[in-house]
């Protein structure tokens, strides 16, 4: 099996040899958990063995669609012509299971999931397996990105009762929705050490007929245990833990797992984990004068540089792939996710603020250029993902990475021009191949491609600095930069003619919120209005298409329709906690970037709705889903892990602090303290699993700076002071523009703003902490000096 296509292996308990507890990277332990055939059960079941994956050609679609044809989700529509009698998640399926006394077969995945494609080809398109499912089970298909609550509940079961988790996730439930057997990817037939899907179905059918009462009893016992184990609440605790202690422990755990040579925090696979990089930057800022502080900065900057030079970054079209299959960041899993682009744009912008090195700002701009070109709807929204798989040529079976890899011959034919002034005969193609490590035999090792599908192919990865490449051929550095950029542009134009990877055109409120942050923060840091306008258009899209004015609720999803239209499912899919938390963060970032208070007002309204729908008034913190929306699910959970995406509770803690800074309303601060207290035990036990929440804990205990700029928003001197603030890395701040109008929204929230005056009619800055403000400052250089203290 190709390493490129293999599921990333995950250690149970710890990453091998690195000391990172499981859950330190949601990239590896959630979306990309071990996709091998793990089977979990609440009763003992005989298990078969692992066999090689069958190389099936796609079968001809059935002429008669199943009921998924009426859905909007691209993932569900991919299964609409299976011979399986699929139901979407809903009451119709549950009623059928109860009426016919059949177990529910729940299969969860997402549109750009490689192993979901494989299982569909091998099993769900198989007529005999379809017949088995239709006779003895009620089959339910769920897009995990539409229903993260369903996914999280049953993933909790799979992880607790087996050695891993991942997608596709396949779980068998009682008609009352309690799980009793679960696993991930199954091949269709038994192999030497892996059980086949057909065998699992036959065994479960037999168990249901002969042992149903035992199954139900054990299922209830497991559910009760999971409920107790997953409870997060304040209990008897009155205050959150010490930020200094949590910071120190989190840093030490990361330091122990750090890869000195290549950056990152594991051997392989390696994931971009912006939450960890954000923590390291914050840790550096509060420990600048210590050795550990310098170490934290070096770890984050080195990791970002190695990622940007590696094959995990698409050097031709920009943007980042999902993860690297190797320690060197060289051979990626080629899927591209919106949430990675959004968070990495912010991380690279912050790296530029901290280092002043334009390498990082160039990477951030490249990410946003990719999103604008490939993942943007004409109305301002952002699509979810691009697939890893695509046909090498039209009519061929899709292969992972086919769109992105190159042969030496292709590059030579595209770039035959001789390079003038080189010390030896050299073409543009040879220069590019040398710099990016392309070889005649291909730079993907046979151990990663035993089937030979990628023989002779290359993934571009920077092997030398521009200076070394220039010195190698006796060329000027600027000339080499120009030649390489010209070469990459020709490759980009040539790649346009290849069959494109599948686009998941579903739009999620949560990920759109992250992307609004990505454009707003990067645009503010770089002083680029054009990027801030993308953020504004994204926020307008959310308000127009994903917000119900009457109820004040967000919708979770919408979909690209024909002719640039936007469609919704009926009934609509309402938002989850992460939708509110990430959109509120995006709007707060957008207010600071644009100084348009309407975005701040909407953020406060959404926070009120979030509190009403998700706040746990007994235990503190937020549930992931509404009580009504998850009716019937055996668990109502609170997300307790920052990973590929930050947990919504971690983001909410920051949001509550910032809103207190913008409004002075004490209830926001009280809620933040309750939330941090509820997660105290989890932070104490495994701080590295919640680096974003540890950051929020630090911000709470250090108090936020209120940076107030008094001035005309259009005036040059006002803009100069604003840009001075944006150019400095200050994570624990709120930036407020006071225009002198006592009736303005912010002046009504913070009456003290009306006491702050412009000095000599010039734009004037004040830095306020603990209800005390600095002397007035009119010069950007003076403001910079004060903010660096």
């Amino acid at each position: 099996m190709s390493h490129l296509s293999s599921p990333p292996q995950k250690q149970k308990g710890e990453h091998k040899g690195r000391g990172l507890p499981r859950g330190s990277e949601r990239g590896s332990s959630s979306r990309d958990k071990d996709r091998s055939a793990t089977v979990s059960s609440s009763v003992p079941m005989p298990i078969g063995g692992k066999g090689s994956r069958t190389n099936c050609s796609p079968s001809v679609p059935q002429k008669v669609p199943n009921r998924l044809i009426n859905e909007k989700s691209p993932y569900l529509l991919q299964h609409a012509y299976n011979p399986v009698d699929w139901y979407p998640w809903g009451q119709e399926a549950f009623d059928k299971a109860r009426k016919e006394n059949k177990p529910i077969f729940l299969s969860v995945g997402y549109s750009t999931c490689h192993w979901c494609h494989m299982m569909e080809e091998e099993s769900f398109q198989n007529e005999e397996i379809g017949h088995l499912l239709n006779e003895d089970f009620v089959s339910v298909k769920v897009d995990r990105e539409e229903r993260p609550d369903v996914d999280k509940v049953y993933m909790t079961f799979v992880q607790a009762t087996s050695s891993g988790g991942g997608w596709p996730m396949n779980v068998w439930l009682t008609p009352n929705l309690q799980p009793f057997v679960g696993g991930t990817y199954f091949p269709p037939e038994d192999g030497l050490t892996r059980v086949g899907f057909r065998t699992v179905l036959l065994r479960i059918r037999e168990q249901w007929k002969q042992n149903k009462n035992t199954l139900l009893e054990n299922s209830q016992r497991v559910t009760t245990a999971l409920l107790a184990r997953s409870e997060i609440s304040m209990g008897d605790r009155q205050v959150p833990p010490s930020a200094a202690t949590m910071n120190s422990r989190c840093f030490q755990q990361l330091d122990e797992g750090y890869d000195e040579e290549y950056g990152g925090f594991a051997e392989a696979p390696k994931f971009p984990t912006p939450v960890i990089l954000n923590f390291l930057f914050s840790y550096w800022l509060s420990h600048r004068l210590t050795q550990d502080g310098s170490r934290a900065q070096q770890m984050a900057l080195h990791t970002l540089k190695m990622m940007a030079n590696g094959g995990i970054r698409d050097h031709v079209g920009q943007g980042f792939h999902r993860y690297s299959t190797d320690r060197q960041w060289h051979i990626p899993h080629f899927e591209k996710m919106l949430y990675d682009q959004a968070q990495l744009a912010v991380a690279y912008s912050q790296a530029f603020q901290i280092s002043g090195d334009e390498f990082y700002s160039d990477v951030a701009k490249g990410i946003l250029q990719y999103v604008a070109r490939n993942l943007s709807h004409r109305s301002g929204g952002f699509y979810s993902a691009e697939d890893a798989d695509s046909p090498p040529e039209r009519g061929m079976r899709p292969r992972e990475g086919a769109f992105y890899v190159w042969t030496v011959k292709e590059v030579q034919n595209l770039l035959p021009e001789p390079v003038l002034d080189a010390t030896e005969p050299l073409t543009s193609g040879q220069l590019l191949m040398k710099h990016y490590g392309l070889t005649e035999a291909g730079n993907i090792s046979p151990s990663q491609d035993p089937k030979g599908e990628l023989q002779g192919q290359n993934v571009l990865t920077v092997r030398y600095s521009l200076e070394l490449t220039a010195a190698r051929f006796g060329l000027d550095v600027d000339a080499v930069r120009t030649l390489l950029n010209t070469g990459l542009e020709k490759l980009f134009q040539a790649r346009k003619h290849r069959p494109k990877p599948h686009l998941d055109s579903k739009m999620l409120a949560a990920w759109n919120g992250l992307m609004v942050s990505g454009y707003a923060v990067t645009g503010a840091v770089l002083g680029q209005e054009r990027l801030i306008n993308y953020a504004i258009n994204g926020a307008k899209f959310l308000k127009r298409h994903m917000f119900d004015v009457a109820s004040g609720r967000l919708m979770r999803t919408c979909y690209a329709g024909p002719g640039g239209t936007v469609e919704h499912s009926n009934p609509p899919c309402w938002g989850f906690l992460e939708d509110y938390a990430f959109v509120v963060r995006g709007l707060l970032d957008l207010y600071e970037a644009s100084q348009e208070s309407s975005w701040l007002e909407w953020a406060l309204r959404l926070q009120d709705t979030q509190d009403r729908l998700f706040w746990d008034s007994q235990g503190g913190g937020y549930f992931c889903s509404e009580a009504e929306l998850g009716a019937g699910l055996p668990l109502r959970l609170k997300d307790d892990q920052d990973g590929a995406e930050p947990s919504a509770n971690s983001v909410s803690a920051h949001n509550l602090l910032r809103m207190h800074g913008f409004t002075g309303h004490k209830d926001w601060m009280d809620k933040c303290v309750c939330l941090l207290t509820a997660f105290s035990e989890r932070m104490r036990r495994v701080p590295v699993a919640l680096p974003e929440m540890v950051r929020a804990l630090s911000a709470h205990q250090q108090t936020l700076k209120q940076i107030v700029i008094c001035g005309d928003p259009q005036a040059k001197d006002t803009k100069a002071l604003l840009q001075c603030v944006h150019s400095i890395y200050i994570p624990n701040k709120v930036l407020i523009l006071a225009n002198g109008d006592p009736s303005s929204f912010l002046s009504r929230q913070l009456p003290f703003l009306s006491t702050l005056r412009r000095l000599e009619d010039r734009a004037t800055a004040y830095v306020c902490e603990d209800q005390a403000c600095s002397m007035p400052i009119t010069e950007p250089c003076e403001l910079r000096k004060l903010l660096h203290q």
Side-chain angles (χ1 to χ4, degrees):
M1 188 186 297
S2 164
H3 190 176
L4 281 173
S5 302
S6 295
Q9 299 300 308
K10 179 176 69 61
Q11 305 299 319
K12 187 175 182 181
E14 293 190 347
H15 289 272
K16 188 176 179 182
R18 288 288 169 184
L20 288 186
R22 191 179 78 178
S24 60
E25 292 187 285
R26 191 160 127 204
S28 59
S29 61
S30 183
R31 170 177 289 280
D32 294 296
K33 295 183 185 76
D34 180 5
R35 296 188 182 111
S36 58
T38 54
V39 181
S40 56
S41 172
S42 58
V43 293
M45 287 191 66
I47 304 230
K50 179 176 179 176
S52 60
R53 198 179 74 215
T54 314
N55 186 11
C56 299
S57 297
S59 55
V60 178
Q62 303 299 302
K63 289 184 179 177
V64 180
N66 57 50
R67 55 180 56 73
L68 295 185
I69 198 70
N70 299 315
E71 297 298 307
K72 299 290 185 188
S73 158
Y75 176 65
L76 299 187
L77 289 170
Q78 285 168 352
H79 294 77
Y81 286 89
N82 295 165
V84 179
D85 186 18
W86 290 115
Y87 284 76
W89 180 266
Q91 200 59 46
E92 186 184 3
F94 312 152
D95 289 345
K96 179 180 170 70
R98 288 177 192 128
K99 182 182 176 184
E100 299 180 10
N101 193 22
K102 289 179 179 177
I104 293 169
F105 168 61
L106 171 66
S107 184
V108 182
Y110 57 101
S111 174
T112 57
C113 161
H114 175 80
W115 286 86
C116 301
H117 301 335
M118 291 310 305
M119 193 157 178
E120 194 225 351
E121 278 185 25
E122 297 169 344
S123 294
F124 301 145
Q125 290 183 17
N126 181 294
E127 293 282 350
E128 186 186 343
I129 286 176
H131 179 73
L132 261 175
L133 284 168
N134 297 342
E135 282 292 307
D136 298 298
F137 302 89
V138 176
S139 299
V140 175
K141 215 14 143 164
V142 167
D143 182 337
R144 70 167 301 268
E145 292 165 356
E146 281 191 331
R147 291 300 302 257
D149 57 332
V150 175
D151 177 66
K152 183 168 177 57
V153 164
Y154 295 111
M155 185 64 76
T156 300
F157 167 77
V158 171
Q159 287 179 298
T161 55
S162 77
S163 60
W167 295 275
M169 175 175 69
N170 298 294
V171 187
W172 285 263
L173 318 176
T174 70
N176 290 326
L177 306 184
Q178 293 190 330
F180 60 90
V181 176
T184 53
Y185 164 80
F186 296 96
E189 306 295 344
D190 293 348
L192 293 174
T193 57
R194 181 180 285 187
V195 67
F197 187 56
R198 187 196 317 271
T199 302
V200 174
L201 290 175
L202 291 171
R203 289 177 182 168
I204 291 174
R205 179 179 72 176
E206 201 62 25
Q207 292 272 356
W208 186 258
K209 286 176 181 175
Q210 297 180 3
N211 262 335
K212 188 169 69 172
N213 288 337
T214 306
L215 276 177
L216 295 176
E217 287 168 14
N218 286 338
S219 175
Q220 180 61 54
R221 195 175 301 121
V222 169
T223 303
T224 303
L226 286 177
L227 191 59
R229 201 175 89 170
S230 60
E231 185 182 6
I232 291 170
S233 110
M234 290 187 292
D236 298 330
R237 291 180 290 273
Q238 301 297 315
V239 293
S242 155
T245 304
M246 295 302 98
N247 262 294
S248 177
R249 283 189 199 164
C250 189
F251 172 74
Q252 291 304 326
Q253 288 180 317
L254 289 171
D255 192 26
E256 288 166 15
Y258 179 63
D259 183 339
E260 296 283 355
E261 190 171 359
Y262 295 103
F265 300 89
E267 286 286 343
K270 274 191 175 170
F271 294 81
T273 46
V275 290
I276 288 176
L277 302 170
N278 292 343
F279 168 80
L280 290 171
F281 283 148
S282 289
Y283 187 86
W284 160 76
L285 189 65
S286 55
H287 298 77
R288 272 176 296 179
L289 303 179
T290 70
Q291 192 173 345
D292 281 353
S294 300
R295 169 82 170 156
Q297 183 199 50
Q298 181 267 329
M299 286 160 65
L301 292 177
H302 181 59
T303 297
L304 285 165
K305 186 153 275 189
M306 296 305 289
M307 282 169 45
N309 283 334
I312 190 174
R313 180 182 171 205
D314 177 6
H315 294 277
V316 174
Q318 297 303 312
F320 279 78
H321 299 295
R322 179 71 279 270
Y323 61 84
S324 171
T325 63
D326 55 75
R327 182 186 163 206
Q328 294 83 9
W329 304 106
H330 180 197
I331 306 298
H333 173 50
F334 291 90
E335 182 183 18
K336 286 181 175 178
M337 307 303 301
L338 182 68
Y339 61 77
D340 281 328
Q341 318 310 321
Q343 295 177 90
L344 286 170
V346 173
Y348 279 98
S349 299
Q350 291 174 342
F352 171 65
Q353 284 178 312
I354 289 165
S355 69
D357 187 343
E358 290 186 2
F359 171 86
Y360 298 107
S361 59
D362 287 345
V363 176
K365 286 185 282 189
I367 293 169
L368 298 182
Q369 179 187 32
Y370 159 71
V371 172
R373 184 182 64 241
N374 286 51
L375 295 179
S376 292
H377 188 274
R378 65 171 66 170
S379 298
F382 303 104
Y383 302 134
S384 294
E386 283 192 305
D387 211 324
D389 300 2
S390 60
E393 294 177 25
R394 278 168 183 77
M396 293 180 69
R397 183 182 184 276
R399 294 179 185 171
E400 186 172 358
F403 186 71
Y404 299 101
V405 293
W406 300 89
T407 64
V408 161
K409 187 177 179 183
E410 283 175 307
V411 175
Q412 286 174 331
N413 289 342
L414 286 167
L415 304 171
E417 311 86 3
V419 176
L420 303 176
D421 301 325
T423 52
E424 60 187 77
L426 183 70
T427 66
S428 294
Q430 288 168 332
L431 178 72
L432 186 139
M433 289 187 291
K434 182 72 174 175
H435 187 74
Y436 288 103
L438 279 67
T439 67
E440 192 77 46
N443 63 13
I444 300 168
S445 82
S447 65
Q448 293 175 297
D449 181 35
K451 288 189 176 178
E453 290 182 341
L454 293 164
Q455 194 171 357
Q457 301 284 351
N458 293 273
V459 173
L460 271 63
T461 181
V462 176
R463 300 302 300 274
Y464 307 100
S465 66
L466 285 171
E467 290 76 12
L468 278 174
T469 299
R472 167 72 177 77
F473 298 109
L475 296 167
D476 179 71
V477 171
D478 288 338
V480 168
R481 182 184 288 108
T482 301
L483 284 164
L484 291 173
N485 287 341
T486 302
L488 291 173
E489 177 60 25
K490 288 186 177 178
L491 265 59
F492 176 73
Q493 295 301 329
R495 204 170 75 176
K496 284 182 177 178
H497 299 289
R498 296 177 174 179
K500 289 182 172 59
H502 159 70
L503 173 70
D504 184 344
S505 58
K506 174 175 73 272
M507 289 170 273
L508 300 172
W511 297 1
N512 272 254
L514 288 175
M515 204 65 241
V516 168
S517 285
Y519 274 107
V521 172
T522 306
V525 169
L526 303 183
Q528 293 198 1
E529 288 293 327
R530 181 178 60 85
L531 299 180
I532 296 172
N533 285 335
Y534 273 105
I536 290 170
N537 289 335
K540 286 179 177 176
F541 180 91
L542 282 162
K543 197 160 194 178
R544 189 182 308 122
H545 295 291
M546 306 189 81
F547 177 61
D548 180 61
V549 178
S551 66
R553 291 165 82 192
L554 284 171
M555 294 174 203
R556 168 72 173 173
T557 59
C558 63
Y559 309 86
T565 59
V566 176
E567 297 181 342
H568 295 87
S569 54
N570 187 20
C573 184
W574 294 109
F576 296 92
L577 174 63
E578 65 180 43
D579 296 297
Y580 289 84
F582 294 178
V583 170
V584 168
R585 173 193 267 185
L587 294 172
L588 297 179
D589 288 338
L590 181 54
Y591 165 71
E592 293 197 348
S594 68
Q595 298 303 318
E596 292 178 20
S597 63
S598 60
W599 300 124
L600 184 56
E601 292 181 60
W602 190 31
L604 297 177
R605 184 178 174 189
L606 287 177
Q607 186 64 50
D608 283 334
T609 306
Q610 176 183 320
D611 292 348
R612 175 168 55 84
L613 296 176
F614 305 102
W615 181 253
D616 178 3
S617 54
Q618 265 79 50
Y622 294 96
F623 290 110
C624 294
S625 58
E626 294 181 46
E628 292 76 14
L629 193 61
L633 286 172
L635 305 172
R636 191 180 182 207
L637 300 171
K638 297 174 187 174
D639 198 358
D640 62 351
Q641 187 176 302
D642 298 320
E645 304 155 65
S647 87
N649 270 289
S650 296
V651 172
S652 293
H654 282 278
N655 291 346
L656 291 166
L657 280 175
R658 292 172 76 182
M659 282 187 289
H660 175 260
F662 281 122
T663 66
H665 294 181
K666 187 173 178 292
D667 54 332
W668 301 129
M669 181 62 78
D670 292 344
K671 271 199 167 63
C672 180
V673 172
C674 286
L675 189 159
L676 293 170
T677 304
F679 282 84
S680 292
E681 188 55 36
R682 176 68 165 157
M683 276 193 280
R684 281 196 184 97
R685 202 169 65 248
V686 203
V688 76
L690 282 166
E692 191 75 7
M693 192 169 287
V694 173
R695 282 205 322 122
L697 180 67
S698 299
H700 160 60
Q701 293 185 6
Q702 292 168 10
T703 72
L704 293 186
K705 284 185 172 76
Q706 291 169 308
I707 304 172
V708 183
I709 310 294
C710 300
D712 174 358
Q714 301 307 318
K716 279 187 180 177
D717 55 355
T718 305
K719 289 182 176 179
L721 289 174
L722 289 169
Q723 191 52 44
C724 170
V725 177
H726 288 311
S727 70
I728 304 169
Y729 177 68
I730 321 169
N732 301 336
K733 62 112 170 56
V734 293
L735 175 59
I736 296 168
L737 178 68
N739 60 7
D741 178 4
S743 66
S744 71
F745 174 73
L746 275 165
S747 293
R748 296 198 309 274
Q749 304 295 319
L750 297 169
F752 83 89
L753 292 180
S754 60
T755 68
L756 303 179
R757 297 277 180 264
R758 299 188 205 185
L759 201 61
E760 298 172 0
D761 207 31
R762 298 168 65 188
T764 305
Y766 296 85
V767 179
C768 306
E769 289 183 82
D770 293 325
Q771 298 180 317
C773 294
S774 68
M775 296 293 288
I777 300 166
T778 56
E779 293 297 332
C781 58
E782 292 299 317
L783 179 59
R784 180 178 298 277
K785 207 178 292 179
L786 177 62
L787 293 174
H788 272 305
Q789 286 177 5

